[in-house]
Amino acid sequence: MRQKRFKVEEIFRILRECEGGLSGIEVCRLHNISEQTLYRWKRKYGGMELSEAKRMKALEEENSRLKRKIADLVLQCDILREANSKKW
């Protein structure tokens, strides 16, 4: 099954529909998502505004980018240590 990626705006629109009176099951059927996904979105984006969610998303992306850079630097450091530890 193909995994769908929803944008933050779409997630907020879906959550507003759920708060607007439609039941969770109806919203899930309408947008072809699982109930677990809906509850996960409610937990993650529950009391936020759209601008806060966009900011959080940007920070998560920056955090993952920085983690990748650190991992690369640690790997390079280990390689250099191993190369320098050999006796010539």
Side-chain angles (χ1 to χ4, degrees):
M1 187 171 164
R2 185 177 150 248
Q3 183 180 10
K4 292 186 178 182
R5 299 279 179 168
F6 288 92
K7 295 180 182 178
V8 178
E9 296 88 6
E10 294 171 332
I11 292 172
F12 270 85
R13 185 176 42 81
I14 291 170
L15 290 176
R16 271 190 248 117
E17 285 179 11
C18 189
E19 292 171 357
L22 290 176
S23 70
I25 296 172
E26 292 174 6
V27 172
C28 293
R29 285 184 191 149
L30 185 65
H31 296 286
N32 198 20
I33 58 173
S34 68
E35 287 184 63
Q36 181 63 38
T37 301
L38 182 66
Y39 293 127
R40 188 179 320 121
W41 287 346
K42 281 184 181 180
R43 187 180 66 224
K44 187 173 183 178
Y45 300 110
M48 287 188 192
E49 295 294 322
L50 183 60
S51 61
E52 293 172 345
K54 285 183 180 181
R55 172 108 171 106
M56 185 182 72
K57 188 85 164 173
L59 288 173
E60 286 175 351
E61 290 173 1
E62 182 182 6
N63 192 20
S64 65
R65 183 182 55 84
L66 292 173
K67 282 183 180 182
R68 282 192 303 272
K69 280 188 174 185
I70 289 173
D72 289 340
L73 289 173
V74 168
L75 182 62
Q76 288 176 0
C77 186
D78 287 344
I79 291 171
L80 290 173
R81 277 192 196 131
E82 186 177 324
N84 287 335
S85 68
K86 294 181 181 178
K87 297 185 180 182
W88 299 96

